[in-house]
Amino acid sequence: MRFPWRRRGGEQRVPDAGTPDEQGRPLALVYRGRASSPGCPEAVAELLAAGPWNLDVRFTGPREELPLTAETLSRALVYAQPGGGTLSPAYRKLRRQRDAIRDFVQGGGRYLGFCLGAYLAGATPGFDLLPGDTDQYISAPGCTIHHDGNTLVEVAWRGRPRTVFFQDGPYFVLDRNADPEVLATYPNGLPAALVTPFGAGRVGVTGPHPEATDDWFTDYDLPVQNNRDLAMDLVDTVLREPRR
């Protein structure tokens, strides 16, 4: 399968912002820009395009043909924020889009956050989409990783042990009355991935990287792990209708 977003420029034909394509597929927006790291948007885009959801996957960002605006978001089903660098600098690059992203999800849109994108779903700083906030797993009591480099982390995903690519991802600090659907926990019991309502929409976030492709592992001499089923589980859960 070929993915046209692997190249920038004229080879990618982009329809009017957010409108369904000729096959009527709903639009999925993936952020690509200075608040992401090379390879992270592409991995998320491949995941969304390869799954069973029949999505029209497009990049959005400051140098993409689809700008990240309220108008573009209003025509989309899901917006994905991939991994990247450090939280505070990334938020400074995206803070002007905060209200547009919040309004999109509040009105029924879906938000997917992977690692940095999960941090950005929090409040300090971030888009404030969670019933609580985020914090560094590597600083948490009982954490099993004590550095911010690329490595593997053990999680229990829906109760089953799995090994996932990890690079200084968050855990989720939940309000006392929060009732999210926790998909995965770290060995110390803290939430590693969850889905939660926000207004009429849904937010799915993960600290580890189940979307990681084989080269992420081989580039750092890590044993390759196939976790596409976990990433698809996250997307499936986000795209479901909110609980009533």
Side-chain angles (χ1 to χ4, degrees), residues 5 15 19 26 31 72 91 98 106-107 116 131 144-145 150 158 169 181 183 186-187 197 205-206 214 224 227 240 244:
W5 48 77
T19 56
Y31 173 85
T72 303
Y91 180 69
R98 178 182 185 273
Q106 181 82 39
L116 175 62
T144 54
I145 298 171
N150 297 282
R158 295 196 185 273
E181 185 172 353
L183 304 182
Y186 293 109
V205 286
T206 176
D214 288 359
V224 174
N227 292 310
R240 287 204 310 255
R244 300 299 182 185

Side-chain angles (χ1 to χ4, degrees), residues 152-167:
L152 302 176
V153 69
E154 301 296 326
V155 300
W157 195 286
R158 295 196 185 273
R160 300 182 64 182
R162 299 294 292 267
T163 303
V164 189
F165 190 94
F166 185 81
Q167 200 270 315

Side-chain angles (χ1 to χ4, degrees), residues 10-28:
E11 292 188 14
Q12 180 183 358
R13 186 185 67 80
V14 180
D16 293 338
T19 56
D21 66 1
E22 292 85 351
Q23 290 76 42
R25 297 178 299 173
L27 179 68

Side-chain angles (χ1 to χ4, degrees), residues 1-239:
M1 185 173 184
R2 296 182 65 249
F3 298 99
W5 48 77
R6 288 188 183 278
R7 300 180 183 179
R8 297 177 184 267
E11 292 188 14
Q12 180 183 358
R13 186 185 67 80
V14 180
D16 293 338
T19 56
D21 66 1
E22 292 85 351
Q23 290 76 42
R25 297 178 299 173
L27 179 68
L29 296 170
V30 179
Y31 173 85
R32 182 165 65 180
R34 294 176 62 197
S36 63
S37 294
C40 291
E42 292 78 11
V44 173
E46 289 189 16
L47 166 69
L48 295 176
W53 312 288
N54 196 32
L55 299 171
D56 179 27
V57 183
R58 304 285 171 170
F59 288 118
T60 183
R63 296 186 179 180
E64 303 298 331
E65 294 187 58
L66 293 182
L68 180 53
T69 64
E71 181 182 3
T72 303
L73 287 164
S74 71
R75 300 172 188 175
L77 171 65
V78 58
Y79 169 75
Q81 189 74 51
T86 305
L87 174 59
S88 293
Y91 180 69
R92 287 196 293 271
K93 296 176 177 67
L94 288 165
R95 60 187 174 187
R96 292 182 180 179
Q97 285 75 39
R98 178 182 185 273
D99 289 346
I101 292 170
R102 284 177 55 82
D103 289 346
F104 163 70
V105 184
Q106 181 82 39
R110 306 300 201 263
Y111 178 95
L112 282 167
F114 299 83
C115 194
L116 175 62
Y119 276 116
L120 285 164
T124 55
F127 307 137
D128 196 13
L129 299 173
L130 300 174
D133 207 347
T134 65
D135 205 345
Q136 284 181 297
Y137 173 65
I138 64 172
S139 299
C143 66
T144 54
I145 298 171
H146 305 277
H147 61 85
D148 62 3
N150 297 282
T151 188
L152 302 176
V153 69
E154 301 296 326
V155 300
W157 195 286
R158 295 196 185 273
R160 300 182 64 182
R162 299 294 292 267
T163 303
V164 189
F165 190 94
F166 185 81
Q167 200 270 315
D168 195 14
Y171 72 93
F172 304 101
V173 184
L174 300 174
D175 295 339
R176 177 172 297 180
N177 296 324
D179 186 26
E181 185 172 353
V182 176
L183 304 182
T185 56
Y186 293 109
N188 60 358
L190 294 173
L194 59 83
V195 174
T196 184
F198 183 80
R202 286 170 78 79
V203 177
V205 286
T206 176
H209 283 279
E211 83 286 8
T213 53
D214 288 359
D215 57 301
W216 291 30
F217 298 92
T218 57
D219 285 351
Y220 296 98
D221 295 322
L222 298 170
V224 174
Q225 309 290 320
N226 183 356
N227 292 310
R228 180 59 62 92
D229 61 319
L230 306 185
M232 287 191 172
D233 182 31
L234 175 66
V235 179
D236 275 333
T237 308
V238 168
L239 294 183

